[in-house]
Amino acid sequence: MAGEDRNSLARRWRLVAPLGLLWAGAYYAGYGAAGVDAATWRFWAADLNPLPWLAALAVLRVYFGHYDRYRGRSGDAPLWSAGQVWSFVSGVLLALALWESPLNGFVGRSMTLYTVKLMGEFEFAAPLIVLGIPFSLVDSVRLKGPWWSVLRVLHRPLVTTVALAIVLVLWDMTDQMALGLRNVLVFGLLPGVYLALGMIVWMQSLRALPAFPNLQNHLRKGLYVWAMEFAMMVMGTMWFWSAMKSMNPSTGTPLLWGMSRVTDVHIAGAVMTGLSLPTMCLVSWHFWQWISGVVGVSESEEYGDYSRSAGRQEL
């Protein structure tokens, strides 16, 4: 036990403090390269908002502590693998890099980077975090309290669909996207909204919390996820074929890489469609599982009929 405690993730966590200082210095230099004035209040309130940092550190510390305690009890931890730990940590770090990083200094000058920032939270960071949570060890029946009650409501497929529709309609249109770039509060919260909705969609699809409201079969789940992802792909297609530079909400002049506003909109549309690949793979998996189940039932019925007819012949 002593050796395990010395090698625990919680003890290794102490390395984060010096590494965190180096990382913060790199962030500061990155914002300088982006031309962001560190003396402004917007830099500290939106660009280098400490709240996501502190939340990520707290979540990782709690995750590592639970992992160490579980390994101390069960030894080989068959239900909580090292791969899940890497997935969870990678997802949190990716979410943090997209949410609060020097990328924010360039987002106002490129609709493409704005799209990468938000879609990356939904399509990549969210599934990595969900796949890293050992839901098989969570007793969802005992999850009580206000936060779990809110999650239980958001976990309803209809509620998630309405929330995603609101995000797509309101925040992917030109005027609202421009508001997201100019308003500090919206700019700071919007990546978290995409991350939260992406996590809920993947939790619903994998039925991670059986006691919460869920769709019951793979066909319904596949159609449900496909419909939501198809709406995003339609939006990306509209951007890709758009010939109006007014659709670009970027506020910086000139744009990054010297491209025109129309070209930036086209690339953003292609990126939005291309980044939908992880969720579309999830849709394909649901349809494959549904088809496999249908074929399996058909084969069992066929063999059952054959065995019954063979038994009658023997009699």
Side-chain angles (χ1 to χ4, degrees):
M1 289 297 293
E4 291 178 0
D5 187 59
R6 283 195 298 270
N7 293 325
S8 68
L9 291 176
R11 282 185 173 272
R12 295 178 188 179
W13 177 257
R14 296 176 181 177
L15 297 174
V16 170
L19 292 177
L21 293 176
L22 293 176
W23 190 251
Y27 263 39
Y28 189 86
Y31 279 114
V36 177
D37 186 4
T40 62
W41 71 273
R42 180 184 174 88
F43 172 75
W44 298 102
D47 294 327
L48 199 63
N49 185 358
L51 295 180
W53 284 67
L54 296 176
L57 292 175
V59 167
L60 288 176
R61 181 63 180 85
V62 171
Y63 184 88
F64 289 162
H66 282 292
Y67 178 77
D68 289 337
R69 286 192 291 272
Y70 180 75
R71 287 297 298 266
R73 293 195 305 267
S74 60
D76 57 350
L79 300 179
W80 199 341
S81 65
Q84 287 180 294
V85 176
W86 282 107
S87 178
F88 186 85
V89 173
S90 300
V92 171
L93 294 180
L94 176 60
L96 188 60
L98 292 171
W99 195 337
E100 300 294 342
S101 74
L103 176 67
N104 288 349
F106 298 96
V107 165
R109 297 168 55 190
S110 173
M111 184 177 176
T112 301
L113 287 184
Y114 195 26
T115 304
V116 171
K117 175 184 174 73
L118 298 180
M119 291 294 292
E121 298 280 9
F122 187 92
E123 299 286 349
F124 292 95
L128 284 174
I129 293 175
V130 171
L131 294 175
I133 300 175
F135 285 103
S136 57
L137 302 176
V138 177
D139 186 0
S140 58
V141 178
R142 298 182 180 180
L143 299 181
K144 307 295 183 181
W147 291 107
W148 292 110
S149 299
V150 172
L151 178 59
R152 189 181 297 271
V153 173
L154 294 176
H155 206 276
R156 297 181 180 277
L158 179 60
V159 175
T160 308
T161 302
V162 172
L164 275 172
I166 292 174
V167 169
L168 286 174
V169 173
L170 293 182
W171 303 117
D172 287 343
M173 297 300 178
T174 305
D175 294 339
Q176 287 75 16
M177 288 183 71
L179 175 63
L181 288 173
R182 296 188 180 97
N183 187 279
V184 173
L185 180 62
V186 176
F187 187 81
L189 292 180
L190 195 55
V193 173
Y194 272 81
L195 177 64
L197 289 175
M199 290 180 62
I200 292 174
V201 168
W202 277 81
M203 288 166 60
Q204 291 169 337
S205 300
L206 301 178
R207 205 161 183 250
L209 298 173
F212 280 28
N214 281 283
L215 294 173
Q216 297 302 318
N217 59 61
H218 287 289
L219 178 60
R220 292 181 180 179
K221 290 181 180 180
L223 292 174
Y224 165 69
V225 179
W226 176 83
M228 291 188 296
E229 200 64 28
F230 182 72
M232 293 186 181
M233 297 179 70
V234 168
M235 186 67 66
T237 303
M238 290 173 56
W239 291 350
F240 182 78
W241 293 106
S242 172
M244 298 182 296
K245 65 180 181 180
S246 59
M247 290 193 67
N248 195 325
S250 302
T251 57
T253 304
L255 298 181
L256 282 179
W257 308 299
M259 66 177 61
S260 67
R261 290 186 178 274
V262 173
T263 302
D264 191 26
V265 172
H266 291 172
I267 297 177
V271 167
M272 187 172 189
T273 303
L275 290 183
S276 301
L277 180 61
T279 307
M280 293 307 293
C281 290
L282 177 64
V283 172
S284 301
W285 178 79
H286 278 307
F287 284 143
W288 177 258
Q289 292 295 320
W290 172 66
I291 293 173
S292 299
V294 172
V295 173
V297 170
S298 300
E299 289 181 349
S300 64
E301 292 177 351
E302 178 181 351
Y303 290 131
D305 293 339
Y306 175 78
S307 62
R308 285 192 295 270
S309 63
R312 286 194 296 268
Q313 291 176 0
E314 291 178 357
L315 293 175

